[in-house]
């Protein structure tokens, strides 16, 4: 009798426990359809412009176009024209703007674009960590310190216009703005401040609202879905609420451990995605609408994702890549190269008893060649891939028969063709 084969609705494979949980979702994400779940292809990357050389560090949208920090240069892309406006230091970069100015923090230095030129501006402290903007104020944090400076005019800084985060003596990592609040993100704590407009210090800390889960590194925070997401100093991802809500699974914490990263956001098919891009592996992607995780990688081996920064501009989400490309999200290839979409089922065991896999049934849609393989050793190794051609805008059945006798079993399904591919249902018959 056919029983459900539980495909991953999120990645739960724990890198620290090989052979235990096998479920992974690579370049595919779950979507609720009716009473069930469909696994859909992640969007590919389509080149819009070459804005390099170098890695895109940050982007910001304005009516004039997208301002881009890339490879030590500050540029403006106003489709299709790319203009180099000046040079800035390389390194972790954040940007903020008002109607006429753009403040840039990169390489621990503070620069301002005033519409004609970009140049360095002195602050009350020499090492600058980040910049943000709220209620006409630019706010700049001290790197490896507790101080923050503020100003109404980005290129005129009063030496007395600075203060310190108050709750704990931990170093500030980043200033973020979300829900009309200023979040002072330290290494050990996150404390919210509000604008008061007072003459001496126009901000005040909100008492009793401090989160004792600090920010791991400057770029590991993003605003999405009207709230703040960040990677904490202990390697977990949190979502801001009345309390800091953990959203990472144990498997995702294992993936975050020991890796540097940066966070960004994008949207696809009415889904908001918070992305933790990591060195040396596929990015981790969280979907607040489903509460599920999936992974986004580049190439057939799912290397670290090419995208290093994102921005929403003129109704379109854009990404900037490590090779200096400006891209949009769409299609089923990454800059003309194959996009391997892959899902691995949970591991089936029968209490250690041997069983026969008589039949596997899949319902898919799209077109191309679907590749299947299976593992009988907890996902450590897989059989040679079998290919099956299919093509239908409606759900299409695929049958796999007589897959052998084993003590554990999981199935891998993959697709690399430049075409839509979705998985709607999977079943297995064992005896």
């Amino acid at each position: 009798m056919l029983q459900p084969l539980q495909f991953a609705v999120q990645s739960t494979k724990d890198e620290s426990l090989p052979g235990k949980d096998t479920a992974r979702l690579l370049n595919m994400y779950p979507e609720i359809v009716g009473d069930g779940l469909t696994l859909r292809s992640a969007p590919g990357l389509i080149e819009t412009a070459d804005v390099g050389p170098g890695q895109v560090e940050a982007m910001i949208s304005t009516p004039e176009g997208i301002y881009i920090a890339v490879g030590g240069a500050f540029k403006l892309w106003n489709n299709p024209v790319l203009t180099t406006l000046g040079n800035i230091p390389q390194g972790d970069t954040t940007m903020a703007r008002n109607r006429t100015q753009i403040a840039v923090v990169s390489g621990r230095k503070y620069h301002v674009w005033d519409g004609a030129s970009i140049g360095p501006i002195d602050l009350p402290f020499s090492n600058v960590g980040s910049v943000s903007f709220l209620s006409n104020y630019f706010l700049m944090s001290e790197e490896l310190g507790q101080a923050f400076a503020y100003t109404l005019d980005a290129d005129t800084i009063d030496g007395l216009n600075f203060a310190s985060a108050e709750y704990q003596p931990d170093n500030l990592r980043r200033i973020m703005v979300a829900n009309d609040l200023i979040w002072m993100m330290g290494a050990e704590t996150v404390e919210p401040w509000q604008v008061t407009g007072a003459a001496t210090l126009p901000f005040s800390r909100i008492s009793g609202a401090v989160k004792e889960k600090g920010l791991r590194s400057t770029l590991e925070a993003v605003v999405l879905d009207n709230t703040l997401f960040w990677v904490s100093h202990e390697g977990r991802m949190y979502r801001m609420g009345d309390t800091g809500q953990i959203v990472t699974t144990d498997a995702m914490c294992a993936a975050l451990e020991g890796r540097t990263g940066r966070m960004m956001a994008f949207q696809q098919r009415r889904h908001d995605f918070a992305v933790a891009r990591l060195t040396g592996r596929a990015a981790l992607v969280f979907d607040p609408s489903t509460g599920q995780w999936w992974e986004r990688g580049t190439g057939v081996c799912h290397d670290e994702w090419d995208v290093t920064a994102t921005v929403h501009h003129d109704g379109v989400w854009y990404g900037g890549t490590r090779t200096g490309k400006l891209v949009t999200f769409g299609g089923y290839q990454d800059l003309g190269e194959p996009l391997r979409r892959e899902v691995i089922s949970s591991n089936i065991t029968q209490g250690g008893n041997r069983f026969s896999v008589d039949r596997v049934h899949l319902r898919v849609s799209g077109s191309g060649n679907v590749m299947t393989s299976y593992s009988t050793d907890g996902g450590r190794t897989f059989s040679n891939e079998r290919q099956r051609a299919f093509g239908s805008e409606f759900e299409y059945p695929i049958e796999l028969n007589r897959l052998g006798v084993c003590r554990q079993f999981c199935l891998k399904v993959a697709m690399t063709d430049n075409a839509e591919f979705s998985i709607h249902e999977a079943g297995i018959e064992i005896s």
Side-chain angles (χ1 to χ4, degrees):
M1 179 182 296
L2 202 65
Q3 63 186 56
L5 176 59
Q6 184 60 58
F7 267 119
V9 295
Q10 70 171 336
S11 285
T12 57
K13 181 178 175 63
D14 190 332
E15 296 174 330
S16 66
L17 298 171
K20 292 295 183 181
D21 201 339
T22 56
R24 290 192 78 180
L25 198 54
L26 290 149
N27 296 332
M28 300 189 78
Y29 63 91
E31 183 175 273
I32 298 172
V33 179
D35 295 329
L37 278 173
T38 287
L39 302 181
R40 294 199 180 276
S41 294
L45 304 179
I46 302 170
E47 182 174 344
T48 298
D50 187 342
V51 298
Q55 176 173 292
V56 174
E57 298 291 348
M59 301 186 289
I60 193 167
S61 173
T62 75
E64 296 81 45
I66 300 175
Y67 286 87
I68 304 170
V70 52
F74 186 66
K75 302 183 179 184
L76 171 64
W77 180 76
N78 185 7
N79 191 13
V81 178
L82 179 70
T83 307
T84 299
L85 305 174
N87 296 321
I88 56 175
Q90 295 194 58
D92 291 351
T93 303
T94 58
M95 295 194 283
R97 74 174 183 92
N98 59 18
R99 290 184 178 273
T100 59
Q101 298 169 309
I102 298 175
V104 181
V105 170
S106 60
R108 299 190 177 183
K109 300 300 179 184
Y110 176 70
H111 286 64
V112 173
W113 168 257
D114 61 8
S117 63
I118 186 166
I121 305 293
D122 291 333
L123 291 178
F125 38 82
S126 58
N127 289 324
V128 191
S130 68
V131 63
S132 196
F133 181 85
L134 179 65
S135 296
N136 296 320
Y137 289 97
F138 288 95
L139 301 107
M140 293 73 69
S141 62
E142 180 183 17
E143 179 75 10
L144 302 178
Q146 293 179 271
F148 66 93
Y150 57 92
T151 182
L152 291 169
D153 184 355
D155 58 10
T156 304
I157 312 296
D158 188 324
L160 299 178
N161 283 2
F162 72 97
S164 296
E166 301 172 341
Y167 181 76
Q168 286 282 0
D170 56 333
N171 291 330
L172 275 177
R173 299 269 197 234
R174 180 86 176 265
I175 295 179
M176 297 286 288
V177 169
N179 284 335
D180 288 329
L181 294 177
I182 302 161
W183 297 92
M184 301 292 181
M185 309 193 74
E188 302 293 333
T189 60
V190 177
E191 56 182 70
W193 288 53
Q194 60 189 348
V195 178
T196 63
T200 53
L201 177 63
F203 317 100
S204 65
R205 182 170 64 86
I206 300 175
S207 179
V210 172
K211 319 301 179 186
E212 297 191 2
K213 297 296 179 182
L215 178 64
R216 187 169 71 170
S217 65
T218 301
L219 299 183
E220 290 186 297
V222 70
V223 175
L224 175 73
D225 194 31
N226 296 316
T227 192
L228 183 63
F229 292 81
W230 77 100
V231 177
S232 71
H233 58 278
E234 78 250 291
R236 298 173 178 171
M237 187 184 293
Y238 284 83
R239 177 180 183 170
M240 189 60 71
D242 293 336
T243 60
Q245 175 191 355
I246 300 173
V247 297
T248 36
T249 63
D250 289 343
M252 297 300 98
C253 289
L256 286 166
E257 186 176 0
R259 291 186 172 93
T260 57
R262 58 176 64 205
M263 289 197 68
M264 64 196 84
F266 75 99
Q267 294 174 317
Q268 175 74 10
R269 286 178 58 91
R270 303 173 302 281
H271 292 261
D272 294 323
F273 294 126
V275 183
R277 184 191 186 276
L278 302 174
T279 56
R281 76 173 319 278
L284 309 179
V285 187
F286 180 69
D287 182 349
S289 69
T290 62
Q292 307 294 335
W293 287 89
W294 54 284
E295 301 171 69
R296 182 63 169 90
T298 295
V300 295
C301 295
H302 302 119
D303 298 325
E304 59 187 69
W305 198 24
D306 270 340
V307 174
T308 54
T310 59
V311 67
H312 189 246
H313 175 70
D314 200 21
V316 177
W317 277 94
Y318 290 89
T321 75
R322 55 185 169 180
T323 56
K325 307 296 184 185
L326 185 67
V327 301
T328 55
F329 299 95
Y332 306 102
Q333 288 187 320
D334 278 342
L335 300 173
E337 297 297 323
L339 173 63
R340 182 178 170 95
R341 289 141 286 167
E342 178 179 299
V343 58
I344 303 174
S345 75
S346 296
N347 204 30
I348 295 175
T349 61
Q350 296 288 91
N353 298 317
R354 295 172 67 84
F355 58 92
S356 174
V357 180
D358 301 323
R359 181 167 67 106
V360 171
H361 172 81
L362 302 174
R363 286 194 295 118
V364 301
S365 63
S367 62
N369 292 288
V370 63
M371 296 171 283
T372 59
S373 58
Y374 60 90
S375 173
T376 59
D377 59 5
R380 293 179 177 87
T381 61
F382 282 83
S383 66
N384 292 331
E385 289 186 335
R386 301 180 180 183
Q387 290 197 25
R388 177 74 63 85
F390 76 102
S392 175
E393 61 180 307
F394 305 105
E395 295 177 13
Y396 187 89
I398 292 178
E399 300 280 342
L400 308 173
N401 297 302
R402 296 185 296 277
L403 298 182
V405 177
C406 53
R407 296 184 188 274
Q408 51 184 328
F409 178 89
C410 64
L411 183 71
K412 179 191 293 185
V413 180
M415 173 85 156
T416 57
D417 291 336
N418 183 18
E420 164 63 22
F421 175 58
S422 298
I423 301 175
H424 304 282
E425 186 183 60
I428 188 169
E429 186 177 309
I430 61 177
S431 61

